[in-house]
């Protein structure tokens, strides 16, 4: 399985865009999509509070599955069942389920309402994905686990540790899935399992097969979990090994959560690094994260990450970024060349959203630079149209005219560009995404120019 992870906690695309993207993913070698809906799922009844105002409709969910089936992509829904549940625990209605009262990141596994809520969420998602043979239960980065009062009491009374407590909750989730949905197989991230002792895994982990991480796999790899098979059976029938996620080097930088330009993950690998030895039966490829968690700003948009995603997919298919892989990427995306080290592509391109790709490239590379250059390096502005002059509406027309035409032209050009960019974004994204992306990446710089032009006029 070569899965594309679509994390919809930020910049969820319209279904009309997925209609264009799914055939591309299939063409490039993917055979499944791992969909982390979060608040984009059309929850009903008591769970309706979890829905975004722009959540997909039930018809949208069905359409997504039809599209996937049409292009031979298996849909694997992802429901976070322990950590990364800010979209749930931010609501006052569910605050009592937090592990630590101040933080909305993780569930308290000791409150009965936690499992009851998870059963409701899982049931609604699974019911709308009856074609799926897999479910992903997340379970990564359970921040602050063991810090809550209930957890401390449990560990002291049960002579247990955080690892044992973690496994206990996972077993309860898997137990529900086994009892209610026979034959459904589960996946989970393995970073929390890596911290648990072998003894705890052998004891508390009985009834679930969790594969130990191998060399070269990253901390956000998959483990394959079979709720219905005991340890002995799993030893006789090995389950798929862990999976390396492609992680871009710049994602570890402090400014990464607000980065709007995707670096190709392969650019961070040594030239002689082969990846064939890391390929295993289940591979997950991350499309751009869009948002690091439910509270962070937007970062890369899906159209911006498509070249990087295509390179990674073809690298998996070919066991390395071979000449054949490169040829396929260029052919499918309509590009002339790709430069891994610079994370750039040459050529107009012919992939869905390529207009956004080029426009974001312009914003990333030129917007801030051109405006700051005009405002800070123009001596007439600094000398005769300073904030002091502007505040008091006081200036000499002779000196102002020396920079006026240049500033007005720069303003007009960027406003025209931004109108076109907004139109392209609106074809792919819902209004909240468009507004947020503009406010984060365009307005901080363009507003400075707008203010100057307003005062000049």
């Amino acid at each position: 399985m070569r899965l594309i992870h679509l994390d919809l906690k930020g910049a969820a695309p319209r279904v009309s865009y997925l209609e264009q993207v799914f055939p591309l993913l299939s063409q490039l070698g993917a055979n499944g999509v791992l969909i982390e809906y979060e608040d984009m799922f059309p929850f009903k009844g008591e769970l309706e509070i979890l829905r975004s105002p722009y959540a997909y409709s039930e018809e949208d969910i069905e359409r997504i599955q039809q599209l996937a089936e049409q292009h031979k992509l298996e849909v694997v829904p992802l429901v976070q069942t322990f950590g990364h549940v800010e979209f749930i625990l931010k609501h006052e209605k569910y605050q009592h389920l937090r592990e630590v009262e101040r933080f909305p990141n993780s569930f308290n596994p000791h409150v009965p309402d936690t499992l009851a809520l998870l059963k409701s969420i899982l049931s609604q998602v699974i019911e709308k994905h009856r074609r799926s043979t897999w479910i992903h239960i997340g379970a990564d980065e359970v921040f602050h686990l063991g810090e809550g009062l209930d957890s401390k009491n449990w560990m002291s009374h049960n002579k247990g540790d955080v690892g044992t407590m973690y496994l206990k909750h996972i077993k309860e989730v898997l137990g529900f899935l086994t009892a209610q949905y026979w034959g459904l197989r589960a996946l989970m991230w393995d970073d929390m399992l890596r911290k648990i002792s072998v003894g705890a895994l052998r004891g508390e982990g009985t009834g679930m097969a969790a594969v130990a991480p191998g060399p070269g796999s990253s901390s956000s790899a998959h483990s394959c979990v079979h709720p219905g098979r005991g340890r002995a059976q799993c030893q006789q029938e090995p389950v798929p090994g862990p999976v390396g996620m492609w992680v871009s080097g710049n994602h570890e930088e402090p400014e990464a959560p607000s980065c709007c330009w995707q670096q190709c993950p392969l650019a961070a690998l040594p030239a002689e690094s082969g990846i064939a030895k890391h390929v295993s039966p289940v591979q997950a490829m991350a499309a751009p994260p869009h948002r690091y968690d439910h509270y962070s700003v937007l970062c890369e948009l899906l159209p911006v990450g498509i070249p990087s995603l295509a390179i990674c997919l073809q690298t998996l298919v070919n066991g390395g970024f071979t000449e054949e892989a490169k040829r396929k990427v260029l052919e499918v995306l309509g590009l002339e060349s790709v430069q891994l080290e610079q994370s750039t592509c040459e050529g107009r391109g012919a992939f869905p959203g390529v207009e956004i790709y080029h426009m974001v490239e312009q914003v990333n590379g030129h917007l801030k630079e051109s405006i700051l250059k005009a405002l800070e390096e123009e001596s007439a502005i600094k000398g005769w149209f300073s904030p002091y002059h502007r505040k008091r509406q006081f200036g000499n027309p002779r000196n102002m005219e020396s920079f006026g035409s240049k500033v007005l032209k720069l303003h007009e050009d960027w406003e025209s560009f931004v109108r076109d960019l907004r139109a392209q974004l609106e074809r792919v994204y819902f209004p909240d995404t468009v507004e947020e992306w503009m406010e984060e990446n365009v307005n901080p710089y363009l507003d400075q120019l707008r203010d100057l032009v307003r005062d000049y006029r």
Side-chain angles (χ1 to χ4, degrees):
M1 295 170 70
R2 292 184 292 271
L3 305 175
I4 303 297
H5 180 193
L6 294 176
D7 187 345
L8 304 182
K9 64 168 61 69
R14 296 178 185 271
V15 176
S16 56
Y17 184 64
L18 295 180
E19 288 177 354
Q20 302 171 60
V21 170
F22 277 19
L24 180 77
L25 300 180
S26 182
Q27 201 176 355
L28 287 165
N31 55 19
V33 281
L34 177 68
I35 306 182
E36 187 169 358
Y37 290 105
E38 284 222 353
D39 58 356
M40 287 302 293
F41 188 82
F43 291 107
K44 296 190 298 185
E46 288 191 2
L47 301 181
E48 194 169 341
I49 191 175
L50 302 179
R51 293 174 61 161
S52 158
Y54 298 99
Y56 294 141
S57 65
E58 292 185 21
E59 292 74 22
D60 289 335
I61 300 295
E62 177 60 25
R63 178 63 182 143
I64 288 169
Q65 292 177 91
Q66 288 173 356
L67 286 169
E69 196 169 24
Q70 184 180 337
H71 298 289
K72 297 181 171 54
L73 297 169
E74 176 153 4
V75 174
V76 180
L78 191 160
V79 176
Q80 286 286 1
T81 56
F82 216 159
H84 283 299
V85 284
E86 296 91 348
F87 83 102
I88 300 170
L89 299 183
K90 71 177 184 181
H91 295 286
E92 187 177 354
K93 179 178 180 179
Y94 298 117
Q95 282 183 7
H96 68 290
L97 302 182
R98 296 176 177 184
E99 167 70 358
V100 176
E101 187 180 356
R102 287 180 59 217
F103 305 129
N105 306 78
S106 307
F107 277 125
N108 177 343
H110 310 288
V111 181
D113 286 352
T114 292
L115 192 60
L117 175 62
L118 284 173
K119 287 178 179 179
S120 297
I121 292 173
L122 285 163
S123 296
Q124 288 201 19
V125 172
I126 293 170
E127 287 300 324
K128 294 298 176 191
H129 292 82
R130 281 303 195 173
R131 300 176 181 83
S132 298
T133 59
W134 294 86
I135 181 80
H136 196 303
I137 62 169
D140 60 311
E141 296 185 335
V142 189
F143 299 133
H144 308 293
L145 182 61
E147 295 177 17
L149 186 60
D150 288 346
S151 288
K152 288 177 179 176
N153 287 338
W154 185 91
M155 287 187 288
S156 65
H157 287 98
N158 292 274
K159 295 180 181 177
D161 58 15
V162 172
T164 307
M165 196 166 59
Y166 173 84
L167 290 172
K168 178 177 178 294
H169 176 72
I170 296 302
K171 277 184 67 179
E172 288 175 343
V173 171
L174 294 173
F176 164 71
L177 292 173
T178 302
Q180 292 295 119
Y181 305 100
W182 179 252
L184 187 66
R185 292 172 291 179
L187 288 166
M188 64 185 291
W189 303 120
D190 79 348
D191 60 303
M192 295 297 291
L193 296 176
R194 290 164 175 265
K195 304 170 188 175
I196 299 174
S197 68
V198 174
L201 281 169
R202 283 178 174 156
E204 200 60 43
T206 302
M208 58 175 274
V211 182
S217 58
S218 82
S219 62
S220 47
H222 272 301
S223 283
C224 179
V225 179
H226 290 257
R229 302 193 333 185
R231 213 166 5 117
Q233 188 178 359
C234 284
Q235 286 169 347
Q236 295 166 3
E237 301 173 40
V239 297
V243 185
M245 285 283 288
W246 293 115
V247 181
S248 166
N250 67 339
H251 286 182
E252 296 175 7
E253 297 298 323
E255 70 274 21
S258 61
C259 176
C260 71
W261 190 252
Q262 173 86 345
Q263 179 187 338
C264 178
L266 295 188
L269 293 177
E272 68 279 3
S273 174
I275 67 135
K277 61 188 175 186
H278 302 315
V279 175
S280 58
V282 184
Q283 295 284 348
M285 299 290 301
H290 308 321
R291 199 190 297 282
Y292 272 55
D293 68 35
H294 193 74
Y295 283 82
S296 71
V297 298
L298 289 175
C299 44
E300 298 98 336
L301 298 174
L302 180 52
V304 174
I306 280 181
S308 173
L309 188 58
I311 289 168
C312 291
L313 260 176
Q314 273 298 297
T315 299
L316 274 185
V317 170
N318 290 278
F321 192 50
T322 61
E323 283 303 312
E324 171 60 22
K326 188 174 183 178
R327 184 197 63 77
K328 179 79 169 180
V329 167
L330 296 178
E331 175 192 316
V332 172
L333 300 187
L335 296 168
E336 293 172 12
S337 67
V338 293
Q339 306 298 328
L340 291 188
E341 293 75 16
Q342 289 78 37
S343 295
T344 57
C345 302
E346 293 178 6
R348 284 304 306 162
F351 56 88
V354 68
E355 301 87 357
I356 292 174
Y357 176 90
H358 288 302
M359 287 179 150
V360 172
E361 188 175 26
Q362 287 293 311
V363 169
N364 185 59
H366 303 293
L367 176 66
K368 178 181 178 181
E369 179 186 353
S370 69
I371 291 175
L372 293 184
K373 185 175 180 180
L375 300 187
E376 295 177 5
E377 294 185 14
E378 182 63 57
S379 61
I381 293 178
K382 299 184 80 170
W384 280 272
F385 205 53
S386 71
Y388 180 88
H389 293 93
R390 291 166 61 185
K391 186 176 181 181
R392 288 157 181 80
Q393 298 185 328
F394 174 79
N396 188 328
R398 175 182 177 278
N399 302 95
M400 289 169 62
E401 286 173 3
S402 70
F403 66 80
S405 59
K406 188 191 300 183
V407 166
L408 290 175
K409 177 71 165 62
L410 183 66
H411 174 249
E412 182 185 328
D413 288 348
W414 275 118
E415 289 289 12
S416 173
F417 174 89
V418 167
R419 280 193 297 273
D420 292 343
L421 172 58
R422 179 181 286 274
Q424 292 293 341
L425 288 172
E426 286 172 348
R427 291 172 57 190
V428 174
Y429 294 109
F430 298 99
D432 59 338
T433 296
V434 178
E435 290 308 318
E436 183 180 351
W437 198 90
M438 287 292 192
E439 204 161 312
E440 288 288 342
N441 298 286
V442 173
N443 294 353
Y445 313 110
L446 193 50
D447 280 351
Q448 295 178 55
L449 186 58
R450 287 166 174 158
D451 290 346
L452 183 89
V453 167
R454 180 199 64 214
D455 291 349
Y456 172 85
R457 284 177 173 150

